[in-house]
Amino acid sequence: MNNRILEYRRDFPLLSGADIAYLDNAATTQKPVSVLDAVRHYYEAENANPLRGVYELSEKATAAYENARAAVKNFIGAKSSDEIIFTSNASASINLAAYSYGLNFLKEGDEIVVSVMEHHSNFLPWKMVAEKTGAKLVKLCPGEDGYITPAQLDKVLTDKTKLVAVTQVSNVLGQVNDIKALAKRAHEVGAVILCDGAQSVPHMKVNVSDLDVDFLAFSGHKMLSPMGIGVLYGKRSCLKKMPPFFYGGEMIEIVHWDSVRYADIPHKFEAGTVNAGGAVGLNAAIEYIGKVGFDLIEEQERLLTDLAMDGLGAIEHVHIVGSPKKEDHKGIVTFTIDDVHPHDVAGILSSDGVCVRAGHHCAQPLMDYLGVRSTTRASFAFYNTPEEVERFLDSVSSVRKRMGY
Amino acid sequence: MEDRLFYNEVLTDHNKHPYHKCELDHPDLMLEGVNPSCGDDIYLQLKMDGDIIADGAFVGDGCAISQASTDIMLEMIIGRTKQEAIRLADIFAKMIRDEATEEDIEELEEAGALKDVAKMPARVKCAALGWRTLKEMLEKA
């Protein structure tokens, strides 16, 4: 393991303050002190209502907020900052796209292709759009290798397909779908593509211009930022024609009783007082991730995932969900143990100080597709150590015995 | 943090070898109880002889706590009156809120083995599922 990892780990107060192995990073990550300090600094030195006041403090707040937008733009390779809309999380981002794009540009007879491995956040909004517009919801299944491939997409694409919603990394299977190839296929039939980047953006270089997606949604809190800040990237051409989703303060140019002119993008979609502190935290998180670098992040998460896959594979009565190949798992390992319910697995692991997620992971259609009721999931971040994975494996090995088997 | 010993023998035995996990022929009362957030799911069935619970059974799927708790409950209430069963359900609810006295817990017999669940907020609803469903069913009947 690279020595820098232990240095970075010390930047996370929660990790040094508790004797736990935190392996639920796909749910949310811990926050480094630089992010906490940045938020604190914002509220101590720059806080005013951004985008409104003409006094200097408000200008500082506006600058802090808009600098964060520029940082996100650079981080994901967008062409311009006005393609970055701040939301509260990935769910809010996808809802914005569904309500504003989906309800206004889809109609009866159109088809919405959604993969079966989506988080409920990228499934339910499209189900709602289908029900309200009369468009048809079309299920996109993975191929035998577990990936959503262009070949699988080809099976369901038609000239009626108007939107494709697919995740880059499954929050259960951990497999990385080839979004660039999927986007190309979607565009060939004239459809737009929305990519759920909640599990990819924190763990690998994601470049929207290279992927050529129309929308990308992700959450700040899964990438070292505070909760309550998220991003919807949208191509200018899409955002420009979309109507607002929320209406209210600071999203207008002129309002009269009889006529309204809305603000331009991105502010058109950011009604009400914005989460400037959260945006500042996200900016600091992006800076921190830049300092660590995706090379090291991916190297460490690969090391941990391989250890977990090898270790779980060697324990009797443990079954990996999804691909048996460790290289197919990007920091996420989901499993079941014979005769023991996942909530009991997580309960026993918790008594050993190991934090993992149990249940359906907000992906019930995928659980149905896989034929499992619920599962246990360990998910890693670069600040986790091989010792934590060993602690996890030791606890997993003891589960059946402690349940009386 | 959970006690290492929480999954005691009473609980693991009832989970592995439930006495009452089966279907009854022609039950008089039936009710499904679910915990949507974790997926615990039971289908409780009772046969009544006037006010007396003559027999009871359940089918379902869920964690050991939800399944064992339901099995222990049925073992206790079969042969008792509806009013006694409701009273025990109330004592059980008190116990998992950590409000029960020593005497209360003694009265719950084997179900007292679940008293530590009061210290595990995330699992309270698992332990309560069977009892909550029972009470709802009896009060409606």
Side-chain angles (χ1 to χ4, degrees):
Chain A
M1 181 177 82
N2 191 307
N3 289 332
R4 283 164 62 206
I5 294 295
L6 292 178
E7 279 169 42
Y8 290 132
R9 189 179 163 88
R10 282 194 284 274
D11 293 335
F12 292 77
L14 189 140
L15 298 175
S16 26
D19 178 27
I20 53 163
Y22 183 77
L23 304 179
D24 195 17
N25 295 286
T28 196
T29 58
Q30 300 307 334
K31 322 302 177 197
V33 78
S34 65
V35 167
L36 303 173
D37 282 350
V39 176
R40 189 183 177 94
H41 174 78
Y42 170 79
Y43 282 114
E44 284 183 352
E46 296 174 330
N47 178 56
N49 207 321
L51 311 162
R52 284 163 172 73
V54 290
Y55 49 90
E56 203 182 321
L57 190 61
S58 178
E59 284 170 0
K60 272 190 187 173
T62 306
Y65 184 63
E66 294 301 330
N67 286 344
R69 198 190 309 277
V72 172
K73 172 217 140 198
N74 292 331
F75 184 61
I76 61 168
K79 291 191 176 74
S80 123
S81 286
D82 59 15
E83 295 180 313
I84 306 300
I85 302 161
F86 282 125
T87 64
S88 50
N89 48 46
S91 296
S93 301
I94 298 170
N95 273 277
L96 195 166
Y99 275 91
S100 176
Y101 188 90
L103 288 184
N104 291 291
F105 297 98
L106 297 179
K107 57 182 191 309
E108 193 172 351
D110 289 346
E111 293 179 356
I112 307 170
V113 170
V114 181
S115 107
V116 76
M117 67 172 70
E118 297 313 301
H119 188 283
H120 294 164
S121 297
N122 200 23
F123 169 61
L124 294 176
W126 303 116
K127 194 170 164 57
M128 176 278 296
V129 169
E131 280 162 7
K132 288 203 178 196
T133 60
K136 187 175 153 201
L137 199 63
V138 178
K139 190 192 281 184
L140 168 59
C141 292
E144 275 176 27
D145 58 2
Y147 287 90
I148 301 290
T149 57
Q152 289 299 110
L153 182 59
D154 285 343
K155 287 184 188 167
V156 293
L157 280 182
T158 71
D159 56 0
K160 294 188 192 121
T161 311
K162 291 292 178 291
L163 189 136
V164 175
V166 65
T167 188
Q168 190 161 19
V169 174
S170 154
N171 71 319
V172 174
L173 305 169
Q175 290 178 258
V176 187
N177 294 316
D178 184 354
I179 296 297
K180 189 175 179 174
L182 298 174
K184 188 164 177 282
R185 291 296 213 286
H187 291 150
E188 278 165 9
V189 299
V192 296
I193 181 165
L194 180 142
C195 174
D196 176 358
Q199 300 295 348
S200 58
V201 172
H203 302 282
M204 58 194 272
K205 189 73 203 154
V206 174
N207 184 301
V208 290
S209 300
D210 177 52
L211 297 178
D212 197 25
V213 289
D214 300 282
F215 298 101
L216 175 80
F218 59 97
S219 292
H221 73 93
K222 293 188 201 291
M223 50 178 286
L224 317 181
S225 307
M227 293 183 179
I229 187 80
V231 171
L232 177 68
Y233 157 82
K235 269 187 194 163
R236 242 172 171 272
S237 53
C238 294
L239 296 179
K240 276 285 202 183
K241 65 180 184 184
M242 285 159 57
F245 170 36
F246 285 125
Y247 294 78
E250 213 50 46
M251 45 81 71
I252 50 88
E253 276 182 8
I254 310 164
V255 179
H256 296 297
W257 192 263
D258 298 318
S259 66
V260 180
R261 198 157 78 216
Y262 295 112
D264 202 351
I265 61 169
H267 300 109
K268 174 168 79 172
F269 298 108
E270 295 179 357
T273 295
V274 295
N275 183 2
V280 166
L282 179 59
N283 192 354
I286 288 170
E287 194 179 319
Y288 190 88
I289 289 169
K291 188 174 79 173
V292 180
F294 276 118
D295 286 346
L296 182 57
I297 289 172
E298 294 203 78
E299 177 191 312
Q300 180 68 3
E301 291 175 4
R302 169 66 25 225
L303 174 85
L304 301 165
T305 307
D306 289 355
L307 274 176
M309 285 292 289
D310 287 341
L312 289 175
I315 304 170
E316 258 191 292
H317 299 289
V318 170
H319 309 280
I320 303 285
V321 175
S323 172
K325 292 188 220 155
K326 51 191 175 189
E327 61 269 26
D328 284 341
H329 293 258
K330 184 136 189 81
I332 292 175
V333 179
T334 300
F335 60 98
T336 58
I337 302 181
D338 288 338
D339 305 313
V340 186
H341 192 279
H343 282 102
D344 296 315
V345 175
I348 287 174
L349 265 59
S350 166
S351 72
D352 291 341
V354 179
C355 311
V356 295
R357 175 82 189 267
H360 49 61
H361 316 293
C362 302
Q364 282 183 343
L366 178 63
M367 297 286 121
D368 292 344
Y369 178 81
L370 296 169
V372 290
R373 287 187 74 106
S374 68
T375 60
T376 309
R377 176 188 74 190
S379 53
F380 308 106
F382 67 92
Y383 48 60
N384 288 128
T385 62
E387 289 72 29
E388 288 177 301
V389 178
E390 289 302 329
R391 186 171 170 183
F392 157 74
L393 292 169
D394 285 347
S395 187
V396 170
S397 318
S398 74
V399 164
R400 274 180 54 91
K401 187 151 182 278
R402 284 153 79 177
M403 288 302 290
Y405 293 99
Chain B
M1 206 165 287
E2 283 175 29
D3 189 313
R4 227 174 208 288
L5 299 173
F6 175 72
Y7 287 95
N8 54 45
E9 261 183 38
V10 174
L11 198 144
T12 56
D13 277 355
H14 276 277
N15 178 48
K16 268 168 71 184
H17 309 294
Y19 300 122
H20 302 287
K21 200 164 184 173
C22 58
E23 298 257 11
L24 291 184
D25 289 332
H26 312 295
D28 299 304
L29 299 175
M30 286 178 290
L31 191 66
E32 185 177 17
V34 288
N35 281 325
S37 63
C38 60
D40 293 336
D41 183 1
I42 59 160
Y43 198 62
L44 197 59
Q45 312 177 345
L46 296 182
K47 245 183 165 29
M48 303 299 290
D49 179 5
D51 241 10
I52 309 267
I53 298 166
D55 201 1
F58 76 108
V59 287
D61 179 77
C63 68
I65 299 176
S66 68
Q67 305 298 298
S69 180
T70 304
D71 197 55
I72 293 168
M73 173 191 83
L74 284 166
E75 185 68 12
M76 283 184 70
I77 58 152
I78 292 170
R80 300 202 193 221
T81 63
K82 178 176 148 180
Q83 290 74 19
E84 280 176 326
I86 291 174
R87 199 176 66 84
L88 288 171
D90 290 337
I91 298 176
F92 187 87
K94 252 167 83 181
M95 180 181 81
I96 58 173
R97 290 198 306 265
D98 210 10
E99 291 166 5
T101 63
E102 287 285 319
E103 293 85 69
D104 285 340
I105 292 170
E106 249 171 59
E107 204 175 344
L108 286 176
E109 302 168 18
E110 267 200 331
L114 285 154
K115 70 176 188 313
D116 285 340
V117 89
K119 300 187 189 79
M120 300 153 51
R123 308 306 292 276
V124 164
K125 62 185 186 310
C126 311
L129 179 63
W131 290 97
R132 180 167 62 77
T133 309
L134 174 78
K135 193 178 172 193
E136 193 184 335
M137 186 157 111
L138 290 175
E139 284 177 345
K140 265 199 232 161

